[in-house]
Amino acid sequence: MATPGAGSRPPTIADVATAAGVSRTTVSHALNGLGKVDPRTRERIKVIAAELGYRPNLRAQRLRRGEAKAIALASSMPFAVAAGPSRLGFYMEIAAAAAESALLHGYALVLVPPVQSGSGLHSVDIDGALVVEPDVNDVAVAHLKERGLPYVALGRPVSPDEAAPYIDLRGELVAELLLAHLHEQGARRPALIIGSGERHAAVDARAAYERLAAEHGWTPIVATAPEAGGEEAGYESCAELLARHPGIDAVCALVDAFAVGAVRAIKDSGRAVPDDIMVVTRYDGLRARTCEPPLTAVDLHLDRAAADAVELLLGQLRGDVTTGAVVTSPAPRVIPRASSLRVTPRA
């Protein structure tokens, strides 16, 4: 079969139609799975298109269908806690898995910087979005609602009127596992440091901590720190806790940036980690692994959660998923490291 020579124009749908002896409409229907085309004819057209090297004009297809074939990954969470100076962390781990899953379905993933007032999320050409751990009255969610775009939350939405589909990251169980680990290692006066917002992870961790404090007879010690402050906010928050409550023997700093700052504050106070004060955190990322000592953290199965979120969003776009749908992520697993392991637990 003759094909366009080197340097010639790319083959068009008209070339495929001529070679196959059918109309351009039949070729379009055959290649796009549309219309009533005899299965043998459809297969023959696909073979001819492949032999000619025909590639469909994806932009033209999107314009005809009114689709961007792109979804966004957005969050109001500042990079100070979502990624850090290296830009590698919680947000980017989700992005890598979500991009791979989206591409398998023919969608591109658009990364949107932390969404604040006046964000470009208003103008980016997308069909829907994944929103990472939305806060109360979340700015990213508000932008998407204004545009009438569907979204899926990674983490339980905390706004009382939200009924968006979401991936349950099991925030309360994560906190329970970390606190149970500290208790097993001898902690009797643990403190909790969480972000000052109302994201599900902070809300759920506080609920779990207060319940376990009552169960074990701990005096509740909870501090909040501004997310945008990153490691420095964790340092200052922990230093203040140590000054006010010198008997603290463990710190559960939910945000990994806060945990790294807490380790530094403990060392600067003349105490040792973990002998005097143990430290644990939620996300098992680069910060947790490279901290000195390495931080006990939790495998949140973010790759699976991100892939599930893409599937849930695409289901919304197809009309297969309704509001309020929930997918629960796999059971989290504590990864013990030197920051909380004691040779002999304290009595």
Side-chain angles (χ1 to χ4, degrees), residues 95-144:
E100 181 178 8
S101 182
L103 193 59
L104 290 174
H105 294 280
Y107 281 76
L109 184 76
V110 178
L111 296 185
V112 178
V115 178
Q116 305 299 331
S117 178
S119 164
L121 191 55
H122 272 307
S123 58
V124 66
D125 188 15
I126 55 174
D127 298 312
L130 311 179
V131 180
V132 180
E133 302 204 314
D135 208 337
V136 170
N137 301 319
D138 195 85
V139 180
V141 169
H143 288 344
L144 292 165

Coordinates of all heavy atoms in Angstrom, one line a residue, residues 95-144:
A95 N 0.6 13.5 42.7 CA 0.6 14.0 41.3 C 1.2 12.9 40.4 O 0.6 12.7 39.3 CB 1.5 15.3 41.2
A96 N 2.3 12.3 40.8 CA 2.9 11.3 39.9 C 1.9 10.1 39.6 O 1.7 9.7 38.5 CB 4.2 10.7 40.5
A97 N 1.3 9.6 40.7 CA 0.3 8.5 40.5 C -0.9 8.9 39.8 O -1.4 8.2 38.9 CB 0.0 7.9 41.9
A98 N -1.4 10.1 40.0 CA -2.6 10.6 39.4 C -2.4 10.8 37.9 O -3.2 10.5 37.0 CB -3.1 11.9 40.0
A99 N -1.2 11.3 37.5 CA -0.8 11.6 36.1 C -0.8 10.3 35.3 O -1.3 10.2 34.2 CB 0.5 12.3 36.0
E100 N -0.2 9.3 35.9 CA -0.1 8.0 35.3 C -1.5 7.4 35.0 O -1.8 6.9 34.0 CB 0.8 7.0 36.1 CG 0.9 5.6 35.5 CD 1.8 4.7 36.3 OE1 2.1 5.1 37.5 OE2 2.1 3.6 35.8
S101 N -2.3 7.4 36.1 CA -3.7 6.9 36.0 C -4.5 7.7 34.9 O -5.2 7.1 34.1 CB -4.4 6.9 37.3 OG -5.6 6.3 37.2
A102 N -4.4 9.0 34.9 CA -5.1 9.8 34.0 C -4.7 9.5 32.6 O -5.6 9.4 31.7 CB -4.9 11.3 34.3
L103 N -3.4 9.4 32.3 CA -2.9 9.1 31.0 C -3.4 7.8 30.4 O -3.7 7.7 29.2 CB -1.4 9.2 31.0 CG -0.7 9.3 29.6 CD1 -1.2 10.5 28.9 CD2 0.8 9.3 29.7
L104 N -3.6 6.8 31.3 CA -4.1 5.5 30.8 C -5.5 5.7 30.2 O -6.0 4.9 29.4 CB -4.2 4.5 32.0 CG -2.8 4.0 32.5 CD1 -3.0 3.2 33.7 CD2 -2.1 3.2 31.4
H105 N -6.2 6.7 30.6 CA -7.6 7.0 30.1 C -7.6 8.1 29.1 O -8.7 8.6 28.7 CB -8.5 7.4 31.3 CG -8.7 6.2 32.3 ND1 -9.6 5.2 32.0 CD2 -8.2 6.0 33.5 CE1 -9.6 4.4 33.1 NE2 -8.7 4.8 33.9
G106 N -6.4 8.5 28.6 CA -6.4 9.6 27.6 C -6.5 11.0 28.1 O -6.8 11.9 27.3
Y107 N -6.3 11.2 29.4 CA -6.4 12.5 30.0 C -5.0 13.0 30.5 O -4.2 12.2 30.9 CB -7.3 12.5 31.2 CG -8.8 12.5 30.9 CD1 -9.4 11.3 30.5 CD2 -9.6 13.7 31.0 CE1 -10.8 11.3 30.1 CE2 -10.9 13.7 30.7 CZ -11.5 12.5 30.3 OH -12.8 12.5 29.9
A108 N -4.8 14.3 30.3 CA -3.6 14.9 30.8 C -3.9 15.4 32.2 O -5.0 15.8 32.6 CB -3.1 16.1 30.0
L109 N -2.9 15.5 33.1 CA -3.0 16.0 34.4 C -2.3 17.4 34.5 O -1.1 17.5 34.1 CB -2.4 15.1 35.5 CG -2.6 15.6 36.9 CD1 -4.0 15.3 37.4 CD2 -1.6 14.9 37.9
V110 N -3.1 18.4 34.9 CA -2.5 19.8 35.0 C -2.3 20.0 36.5 O -3.2 19.9 37.4 CB -3.6 20.8 34.5 CG1 -3.0 22.2 34.7 CG2 -3.9 20.5 33.0
L111 N -1.0 20.4 36.8 CA -0.7 20.7 38.2 C -0.9 22.2 38.5 O -0.4 23.0 37.8 CB 0.8 20.4 38.5 CG 1.2 18.9 38.4 CD1 2.7 18.8 38.9 CD2 0.3 18.1 39.3
V112 N -1.7 22.5 39.5 CA -2.1 23.9 39.8 C -1.3 24.2 41.1 O -1.4 23.5 42.1 CB -3.6 24.0 40.0 CG1 -3.9 25.5 40.4 CG2 -4.3 23.6 38.7
P113 N -0.6 25.3 41.1 CA 0.1 25.7 42.4 C -0.9 26.0 43.5 O -2.1 26.0 43.2 CB 0.8 27.0 42.0 CG 0.9 27.0 40.5 CD -0.3 26.2 40.0
P114 N -0.5 26.1 44.7 CA -1.4 26.3 45.8 C -2.4 27.4 45.5 O -2.1 28.5 45.1 CB -0.5 26.7 47.0 CG 0.7 26.0 46.7 CD 0.9 26.0 45.2
V115 N -3.7 27.0 45.6 CA -4.8 27.9 45.1 C -5.1 28.9 46.2 O -5.5 28.6 47.3 CB -6.0 27.1 44.8 CG1 -7.2 28.0 44.3 CG2 -5.7 26.1 43.7
Q116 N -4.9 30.2 45.8 CA -5.3 31.3 46.7 C -6.3 32.2 45.9 O -6.7 31.9 44.8 CB -4.1 32.1 47.1 CG -3.0 31.3 47.7 CD -3.4 30.6 49.0 OE1 -4.3 31.1 49.7 NE2 -2.9 29.4 49.3
S117 N -6.6 33.3 46.4 CA -7.5 34.2 45.8 C -6.9 34.7 44.4 O -5.7 35.0 44.3 CB -7.8 35.4 46.6 OG -8.6 36.4 46.0
G118 N -7.7 34.7 43.4 CA -7.3 35.1 42.1 C -6.4 34.1 41.3 O -5.7 34.4 40.4
S119 N -6.6 32.8 41.7 CA -5.8 31.8 41.2 C -6.1 31.5 39.7 O -7.2 31.8 39.2 CB -6.0 30.5 41.9 OG -5.6 29.3 41.2
G120 N -5.1 31.0 39.0 CA -5.3 30.6 37.6 C -6.3 29.5 37.4 O -6.6 29.1 36.2
L121 N -6.7 28.8 38.5 CA -7.7 27.7 38.3 C -9.0 28.2 37.7 O -9.7 27.5 37.1 CB -8.0 27.2 39.7 CG -8.8 25.9 39.8 CD1 -8.1 24.8 39.0 CD2 -9.0 25.4 41.2
H122 N -9.2 29.6 37.7 CA -10.3 30.1 37.0 C -10.3 29.9 35.5 O -11.3 29.8 34.8 CB -10.5 31.6 37.3 CG -11.2 31.9 38.6 ND1 -12.5 31.4 38.8 CD2 -10.9 32.7 39.7 CE1 -12.9 31.9 40.0 NE2 -12.0 32.6 40.5
S123 N -9.1 29.9 34.9 CA -8.9 30.0 33.5 C -8.4 28.7 32.8 O -8.5 28.6 31.6 CB -8.1 31.2 33.1 OG -6.8 31.1 33.7
V124 N -7.8 27.8 33.6 CA -7.1 26.7 33.0 C -8.2 25.8 32.4 O -9.3 25.6 32.9 CB -6.3 25.9 34.1 CG1 -7.2 25.3 35.2 CG2 -5.5 24.8 33.4
D125 N -7.9 25.2 31.2 CA -8.9 24.4 30.4 C -8.9 23.0 30.9 O -8.0 22.2 30.6 CB -8.5 24.5 29.0 CG -9.6 23.9 28.1 OD1 -10.7 23.7 28.6 OD2 -9.3 23.6 26.9
I126 N -9.9 22.6 31.8 CA -9.9 21.3 32.3 C -11.4 20.8 32.4 O -12.3 21.6 32.2 CB -9.4 21.3 33.8 CG1 -10.1 22.3 34.6 CG2 -7.9 21.5 33.8 CD1 -9.8 22.3 36.1
D127 N -11.6 19.5 32.5 CA -12.9 18.9 32.6 C -13.3 18.7 34.1 O -14.5 18.6 34.4 CB -12.9 17.6 31.9 CG -12.7 17.7 30.4 OD1 -13.3 18.6 29.8 OD2 -11.8 16.9 29.9
G128 N -12.4 18.7 35.0 CA -12.7 18.5 36.4 C -11.4 18.5 37.2 O -10.3 18.8 36.6
A129 N -11.4 18.2 38.5 CA -10.2 18.3 39.3 C -10.2 17.4 40.5 O -11.3 16.9 40.9 CB -10.1 19.8 39.8
L130 N -9.0 17.1 40.9 CA -8.8 16.4 42.2 C -8.4 17.5 43.2 O -7.5 18.3 42.8 CB -7.7 15.3 42.1 CG -7.8 14.3 40.9 CD1 -6.7 13.4 41.0 CD2 -9.1 13.6 41.0
V131 N -9.0 17.6 44.3 CA -8.6 18.6 45.3 C -8.0 17.9 46.5 O -8.7 17.0 47.2 CB -9.8 19.4 45.8 CG1 -9.4 20.5 46.8 CG2 -10.4 20.1 44.5
V132 N -6.8 18.2 46.8 CA -6.1 17.5 47.9 C -6.4 18.1 49.3 O -6.2 19.3 49.5 CB -4.5 17.6 47.7 CG1 -3.8 16.8 48.9 CG2 -4.1 17.0 46.4
E133 N -7.0 17.3 50.1 CA -7.4 17.6 51.5 C -8.0 19.0 51.6 O -7.3 20.0 52.2 CB -6.1 17.5 52.4 CG -5.6 16.1 52.4 CD -4.8 15.7 53.6 OE1 -4.0 16.4 54.0 OE2 -5.1 14.6 54.1
P134 N -9.2 19.3 51.1 CA -9.8 20.6 51.2 C -10.0 21.0 52.6 O -10.4 20.2 53.5 CB -11.1 20.4 50.4 CG -11.4 19.0 50.4 CD -10.0 18.3 50.4
D135 N -9.8 22.3 52.8 CA -10.1 23.0 54.1 C -11.6 23.4 54.2 O -12.3 23.3 53.2 CB -9.2 24.2 54.3 CG -8.9 24.5 55.8 OD1 -9.7 24.0 56.6 OD2 -7.8 25.1 56.0
V136 N -12.0 23.9 55.3 CA -13.3 24.5 55.4 C -13.4 25.7 54.5 O -12.5 26.5 54.4 CB -13.7 24.9 56.8 CG1 -14.9 25.7 56.9 CG2 -13.8 23.7 57.7
N137 N -14.5 25.8 53.7 CA -14.6 26.9 52.7 C -13.4 27.0 51.8 O -12.8 28.1 51.6 CB -14.9 28.2 53.5 CG -16.1 28.2 54.3 OD1 -17.1 27.6 53.9 ND2 -16.0 28.7 55.5
D138 N -13.0 25.9 51.3 CA -11.7 25.8 50.6 C -11.8 26.6 49.3 O -12.8 26.6 48.5 CB -11.5 24.3 50.2 CG -10.1 24.1 49.7 OD1 -9.2 23.8 50.5 OD2 -9.9 24.1 48.5
V139 N -10.7 27.4 49.1 CA -10.6 28.3 47.9 C -10.6 27.5 46.6 O -11.3 27.9 45.6 CB -9.4 29.2 48.0 CG1 -9.3 30.1 46.8 CG2 -9.4 30.0 49.3
A140 N -9.9 26.4 46.5 CA -9.9 25.7 45.3 C -11.3 25.1 44.9 O -11.7 25.2 43.8 CB -8.9 24.5 45.4
V141 N -11.9 24.6 45.9 CA -13.3 24.1 45.8 C -14.2 25.2 45.3 O -15.1 25.0 44.4 CB -13.8 23.4 47.0 CG1 -15.3 23.1 46.9 CG2 -13.1 22.2 47.3
A142 N -14.1 26.4 45.9 CA -14.9 27.5 45.5 C -14.8 27.9 44.0 O -15.7 28.1 43.3 CB -14.6 28.7 46.4
H143 N -13.5 27.9 43.6 CA -13.2 28.2 42.2 C -13.9 27.2 41.2 O -14.5 27.5 40.2 CB -11.7 28.2 41.9 CG -11.0 29.4 42.5 ND1 -11.7 30.5 42.9 CD2 -9.7 29.6 42.7 CE1 -10.8 31.4 43.4 NE2 -9.6 30.9 43.3
L144 N -13.8 25.9 41.6 CA -14.3 24.8 40.8 C -15.9 24.9 40.7 O -16.5 24.7 39.7 CB -13.9 23.5 41.3 CG -12.4 23.2 41.1 CD1 -12.0 22.0 42.0 CD2 -12.1 22.9 39.7

